[in-house]
Amino acid sequence: MKRLLLPIAAGAVLALGWAQFTRNPTDTKPNDYTNWGEYLGGPDRSHYSALTQIGPQNVSQLKVAWTYSTPDSGQIQTNPIIVDGVLYGVTPTVQAFALDATTGKELWKFGDPLKVWHSTSRGVVYWQSSDKTGEPDKRILYTVGPKLYALDARTGKPIPSFGDNGTADLHAGLGEQARDKFIISNTPGTLFEDLIIMPTRVSEGPDAAPGYIQAFNVRTGRLAWVFRTIPNPGEYGYETWPKEAYRNIDVGGANNWSGMAIDRPRGLLYVPTGSASYDFYGGNRKGQNLFANCLLALDARTGKRRWHFQAVHHDLWDRDFPAPPNLLTVTQNGKKIDAVAQVTKSGHVFVFDRVTGKPLFPIRETPVPKSDLPGEVTWPTQPVPQKPAPFARQQMSEADINPYSADRDSLLRVFRSVGRRPFEPISKRGSLMFPGTDGGAEWGGAAADPDGILYVNANDIPWIFTMIDAPKSDELAHLSPGQRIYTQNCISCHGPERKGNARSGYPSLVDISQRRDRPYVNQIISNGKGMMPGFTALSAADRQALVSFLFGDEKQEVAGGSPYPAKVKEPYLPYKVTGYIKFQDSKGLPAIAPPWGTLNAINLNTGEYLWKIPLGQDSALAGKATQTGTENYGGPVVTASGLLFIAATKDEKFRAFDKKTGKLLWETTLPAAGFATPATYQVNGRQYVVIACGGAKLGAKKGNQYVAYALP
């Protein structure tokens, strides 16, 4: 692909000023930035390192310095942190560990491998007391399921004085209705003084818990404050929902799952929130729905709202903010402005004055189509930034159909049959969503330079969603208990014949008994796996009935009743989607012409692009097409020396680019795909770059290694 090269606008911040802003609480000296002491590099979440030992002139000489193999294998989305020569990370089954950061030697590991948790973790939080007397208190905070753990950073043992013998429950501030609902956290929390503010994942169905923002005391584990993203009566935003929405009967979500950024000197916390649940139908939540799909600026001490911006009104497309925002400084009209930039699944960047919330580029409320589903009331307009231009394609035409596909005619027939306007509401005929629900930008997020340049990797993959009538209770009465539970909870992803859709990430459940045992499947139903939520509202008897149905030995007796406990009102909505389906051909190639993944450099001083290149290479088109790009998960790291490091692609490569031009300077093959964000740090005068290699996504093989590189 042709590179777009433009000069970088002036506006670099003085190095000392930037360093003072990004200083981690773990740094021991004002100008010691050898640590990677917080998730994504610092409180600004800008993936930036001031280290310069590895640069464009010598990056091609990088060699493996050490590897660490976890005792399990599978997805590792962790961005490890490094503090004073110790690396802290998480295994595929969410066991926390500490390593010597110069050798990879294990120092400790926490977690019970016999009680495997099947979600994923993007890392841990390091906190150190500021007490001047005695030995400092050093803690690692991370989550397993709904529990927030506090571990001694030296030993990995739980701290008994924190919460309930070392744990706090993420249900704490959600209310009685949500006490038994599914809630976990994939992403590290954000520190402010003695508080940790926690991201949470909830169900995306009508049974979802509310996604309130919760702060816990790091020392005690007690709940400190709560910001209700679905407001109570009398609170700001309450009128943007139906009167009963706050009761959490059939409306939930509006959660922060992707992480937050914080301006510690100002005490301002920046929280991007997700869509309300159910994701794709909102007839039961008519209105604008504040504070779903918002960038919130909160007072970090109290949780009080300072300002907000809603990027999607009454979301029907699962357009939650996918990554923490970036805090950076830009220059406009000769004036330096402390800014916050938020990337989106739709491929846009919103840029605001960090203090006032004023947009730094025009945003236009654009008319959008109405829904044809009875009961649905779409919001008439949606905000669209006019600058920068989107970093992912926004529309697909017949001319864009993949020319390398043997099924082009079939793809054309499908394409012509579905609705495909921007912000097309999902309908029974089918609706094209482009970019799809996995971005645009994804959870890896963007990197930001001190001079106002943003680097973001993107997916360019179309998806198709189709709405169907949800079965009513009387229509399910003739089914066995297990089949009824499957129909109500599982069919939209795994299909009526249990065949799933492996290319879209939904495995077949046919003959599951030949691949897994009953305890394993029961645990998946309870706890979830990867991005699948756990069905915590199901009783033990109902889980057993579902397992029996999947294993083919359930008694086929007619039985009625609800699978939900009597104390939980069963939520019901009239429609549901048939599944999360990528628009692909019979061989799994995207229906759209390449590139399917890109890496972009955007000058946020001007809103113009510096360069744009494909990211990754799909081996399926070897000899037919070069620079295809691939789907990618995990973000970049940018350095003061002029490098941009990124893995993220299913081709198992780890690459370094010249950040000024996008030129590839180095690449190496990893033991498995690195669907994670790397980290860079320095110990004893030697700089390292480390990446987690778990694979197990997009058809990539499983892995279990962390690999660190350094100069010889």
Side-chain angles (χ1 to χ4, degrees):
M1 174 181 283
K2 182 178 179 181
R3 292 182 174 89
L4 178 63
L5 301 177
L6 296 172
I8 297 178
V13 182
L14 289 174
L16 180 59
W18 178 262
Q20 287 174 335
F21 173 73
T22 60
R23 180 185 174 189
N24 296 337
T26 54
D27 290 331
T28 56
K29 298 187 290 291
N31 294 314
D32 177 10
Y33 306 109
T34 58
N35 289 328
W36 188 268
E38 294 190 64
Y39 181 56
L40 303 181
D44 50 18
R45 307 304 193 222
S46 285
H47 309 222
Y48 174 80
S49 172
L51 295 177
T52 59
Q53 184 180 99
I54 303 170
Q57 75 286 356
N58 59 16
V59 67
S60 62
Q61 301 172 33
L62 285 178
K63 302 294 182 185
V64 174
W66 57 259
T67 63
Y68 170 71
S69 297
T70 66
D72 39 24
S73 63
Q75 283 195 53
I76 314 174
Q77 299 180 355
T78 301
N79 173 239
I81 61 173
I82 300 90
V83 180
D84 298 333
V86 179
L87 181 145
Y88 302 93
V90 185
T91 77
T93 52
V94 198
Q95 297 176 66
F97 62 80
L99 309 177
D100 182 313
T102 64
T103 65
K105 179 183 177 182
E106 184 179 293
L107 303 177
W108 56 256
K109 184 164 74 268
F110 171 81
D112 186 346
L114 298 179
K115 296 180 180 179
V116 177
W117 184 262
H118 290 283
S119 189
T120 54
S121 173
R122 296 184 186 122
V124 304
V125 173
Y126 178 95
W127 175 87
Q128 178 176 316
S129 69
S130 57
D131 296 345
K132 300 300 182 182
T133 60
E135 188 174 6
D137 183 357
K138 299 180 180 182
R139 301 187 178 192
I140 291 294
L141 297 108
Y142 94 117
T143 56
V144 181
K147 299 293 187 181
L148 172 64
Y149 279 82
L151 308 178
D152 187 311
R154 301 174 185 87
T155 66
K157 297 183 182 301
I159 296 173
S161 61
F162 179 88
D164 181 10
N165 202 32
T167 69
D169 192 334
L170 295 177
H171 291 91
L174 304 185
E176 180 62 24
Q177 181 72 16
R179 185 170 61 87
D180 296 318
K181 291 189 175 184
F182 173 81
I183 181 168
I184 63 173
S185 179
N186 296 97
T187 307
T190 297
L191 290 174
F192 180 75
E193 297 174 349
D194 287 352
L195 299 178
I196 183 168
I197 305 98
M198 291 303 301
T200 54
R201 259 194 68 213
V202 300
S203 167
E204 299 192 14
D207 61 335
Y212 299 161
I213 313 305
Q214 303 176 88
F216 295 84
N217 186 285
V218 175
R219 298 176 186 269
T220 67
R222 294 193 186 98
L223 187 68
W225 57 255
V226 177
F227 178 86
R228 285 182 282 272
T229 54
I230 302 176
N232 277 358
E235 294 178 338
Y236 185 97
Y238 168 74
E239 70 285 352
T240 68
W241 300 84
K243 291 183 178 180
E244 300 297 309
Y246 77 100
R247 294 189 182 275
N248 187 222
I249 304 300
D250 60 359
V251 176
N255 55 306
N256 168 267
W257 61 266
S258 59
M260 314 164 196
I262 187 162
D263 182 335
R264 289 199 179 105
R266 291 187 173 99
L268 283 177
L269 179 74
Y270 300 90
V271 185
T273 62
S275 53
S277 299
Y278 177 51
D279 288 351
F280 302 111
Y281 174 76
N284 62 323
R285 52 175 172 88
K286 294 182 177 72
Q288 187 179 352
N289 300 160
L290 292 177
F291 294 94
N293 304 90
C294 285
L295 181 60
L296 286 163
L298 303 180
D299 185 306
R301 286 188 181 87
T302 64
K304 301 296 184 184
R305 182 184 64 91
R306 294 287 189 87
W307 59 263
H308 75 274
F309 175 83
Q310 189 176 50
V312 184
H313 312 312
H314 189 74
D315 185 12
L316 302 175
W317 305 271
D318 194 22
R319 287 301 197 204
D320 39 5
F321 281 128
N326 301 98
L327 305 187
L328 71 168
T329 301
V330 301
T331 302
Q332 291 188 346
N333 300 319
K335 180 183 177 182
K336 294 187 185 302
I337 303 171
D338 287 342
V340 53
Q342 179 67 61
V343 295
T344 70
K345 284 185 177 180
S346 63
H348 294 93
V349 186
F350 290 95
V351 189
F352 305 96
D353 183 298
R354 201 185 304 166
V355 177
T356 66
K358 177 183 176 182
L360 298 188
F361 297 104
I363 300 172
R364 185 174 68 195
E365 287 285 342
T366 304
V368 297
K370 294 182 178 180
S371 173
D372 61 6
L373 288 177
E376 182 59 86
V377 180
T378 46
W379 199 260
T381 63
Q382 296 294 344
V384 178
Q386 302 304 290
K387 243 185 174 184
F391 54 80
R393 288 174 283 183
Q394 297 296 293
Q395 290 184 279
M396 182 177 174
S397 69
E398 292 188 7
D400 295 319
I401 295 291
N402 186 354
Y404 303 103
S405 174
D407 307 326
R408 193 173 189 277
D409 289 344
S410 297
L411 295 175
L412 272 170
R413 282 195 297 273
V414 173
F415 179 77
R416 290 166 179 167
S417 71
V418 300
R420 50 187 184 271
R421 297 167 294 179
F423 288 99
E424 180 81 37
I426 297 173
S427 67
K428 292 183 179 181
R429 90 184 257 215
S431 303
L432 182 79
M433 190 181 298
F434 184 58
T437 53
D438 279 6
E442 247 302 324
W443 51 263
D449 245 335
D451 55 9
I453 310 301
L454 192 77
Y455 306 90
V456 57
N457 48 306
N459 291 323
D460 265 30
I461 306 294
W463 294 54
I464 290 178
F465 288 85
T466 305
M467 198 72 79
I468 58 174
D469 293 323
K472 297 181 174 64
S473 295
D474 57 350
E475 296 172 348
L476 302 173
H478 68 287
L479 302 178
S480 67
Q483 187 176 8
R484 184 178 67 251
I485 295 166
Y486 179 86
T487 302
Q488 290 178 304
N489 297 283
C490 315
I491 200 169
S492 62
C493 290
H494 296 284
E497 298 178 349
R498 292 177 276 168
K499 291 182 179 179
N501 188 322
R503 294 200 301 269
S504 293
Y506 301 95
S508 170
L509 300 179
V510 176
D511 297 327
I512 186 67
S513 62
Q514 298 178 22
R515 305 190 304 274
R516 298 292 186 183
D517 60 24
R518 292 170 186 270
Y520 179 92
V521 175
N522 199 311
Q523 189 176 51
I524 295 294
I525 294 168
S526 298
N527 297 339
K529 181 179 181 182
M531 298 310 291
M532 169 188 158
F535 293 93
T536 54
L538 296 179
S539 67
D542 287 317
R543 291 197 302 272
Q544 183 177 354
L546 178 56
V547 171
S548 295
F549 169 71
L550 294 175
F551 276 61
D553 57 9
E554 183 188 26
K555 291 182 180 180
Q556 297 299 308
E557 298 176 352
V558 175
S562 168
Y564 290 85
K567 63 183 177 180
V568 178
K569 179 181 177 182
E570 179 180 355
Y572 174 78
L573 295 179
Y575 309 102
K576 64 194 307 181
V577 295
T578 56
Y580 293 72
I581 310 299
K582 293 177 183 176
F583 188 17
Q584 297 174 321
D585 69 10
S586 60
K587 294 184 178 180
L589 291 176
I592 196 170
W596 300 317
T598 62
L599 185 59
N600 306 266
I602 311 171
N603 186 337
L604 293 186
N605 301 291
T606 64
E608 303 294 336
Y609 280 69
L610 299 184
W611 49 262
K612 182 184 187 77
I613 59 172
L615 178 63
Q617 181 64 32
D618 196 312
S619 60
L621 293 184
K624 296 181 181 179
T626 59
Q627 297 187 311
T628 63
T630 72
E631 280 189 86
N632 48 89
Y633 296 87
V637 163
V638 63
T639 72
S641 64
L643 295 175
L644 194 69
F645 286 101
I646 188 168
T649 54
K650 70 177 183 180
D651 59 13
E652 301 180 353
K653 300 293 186 182
F654 188 25
R655 298 175 169 93
F657 297 91
D658 186 313
K659 71 179 185 182
K660 293 182 180 179
T661 65
K663 179 182 177 181
L664 179 65
L665 299 177
W666 171 77
E667 72 175 13
T668 189
T669 301
L670 298 169
F675 296 127
T677 301
T680 186
Y681 60 96
Q682 189 166 300
V683 181
N684 299 328
R686 191 182 192 197
Q687 184 182 352
Y688 300 79
V689 183
V690 63
I691 180 73
C693 310
K697 192 175 179 70
L698 303 176
K701 69 176 185 284
K702 283 186 178 181
N704 71 334
Q705 290 190 319
Y706 284 72
V707 183
Y709 298 86
L711 296 173

